[in-house]
Amino acid sequence: QVQLVESGGGSVQAGGSLRLACVTSGISYITTCMGWFRQAPGKEREGVADIDRSGRTNYADSVKGRFTISKDNGKNTLYLQMNSMRPEDTAMYYCAAHLPLVPCSAVRGSMSYYYRGQGTQVTVSS
């Protein structure tokens, strides 16, 4: 059974940092594209970052240079380090994973990940 459980959300002032973690089960990190997306009230879902089975990463323009996605295969954990945060980063953040061997390019635009967590709220105040 596949499970994804996010943690690390909270409230931070602009310019601050948070580190999100997603502990998973039932997912092979060496075969699966994984990522983070976010959704703010009244706004469309936005892909934040993804990392493929080889460790190659991709970021939305809005977070490039500020956010870093990484994974620890041994700990079955996906991370999102968020620095220099802005009020517009406020959203519910979701960890997601796709089916094995499907490249990240296949889900990046649509964010049609097969699995996702319940989300963790991030609030950035000015």
Side-chain angles (χ1 to χ4, degrees):
Q1 183 179 1
V2 173
Q3 287 188 316
L4 298 87
V5 180
E6 302 97 334
S7 64
S11 296
V12 64
Q13 288 193 327
S17 298
L18 283 175
R19 188 194 197 199
L20 305 183
C22 174
V23 177
T24 68
S25 60
I27 293 175
S28 171
Y29 281 47
I30 61 173
T31 62
T32 302
C33 170
M34 303 187 70
W36 293 90
F37 65 90
R38 64 189 181 186
Q39 189 159 22
K43 294 188 177 180
E44 292 188 354
R45 185 179 298 181
E46 178 187 21
V48 175
D50 59 57
I51 184 166
D52 71 8
R53 49 196 172 121
S54 299
R56 288 182 295 247
T57 58
N58 185 80
Y59 297 92
D61 288 342
S62 58
V63 306
K64 275 181 183 176
R66 300 188 299 121
F67 291 10
T68 302
I69 188 172
S70 62
K71 59 181 180 176
D72 186 326
N73 295 355
K75 294 183 178 180
N76 292 327
T77 304
L78 180 72
Y79 300 99
L80 184 68
Q81 177 68 44
M82 304 184 292
N83 299 328
S84 301
M85 297 186 72
R86 305 167 180 169
E88 53 264 39
D89 294 323
T90 295
M92 185 73 80
Y93 282 71
Y94 298 89
C95 165
H98 206 38
L99 296 171
L101 303 182
V102 177
C104 284
S105 57
V107 299
R108 189 167 294 145
S110 62
M111 290 172 284
S112 55
Y113 290 96
Y114 199 79
Y115 305 103
R116 52 167 270 189
Q118 293 299 307
T120 185
Q121 178 67 39
V122 171
T123 303
V124 185
S125 58
S126 57

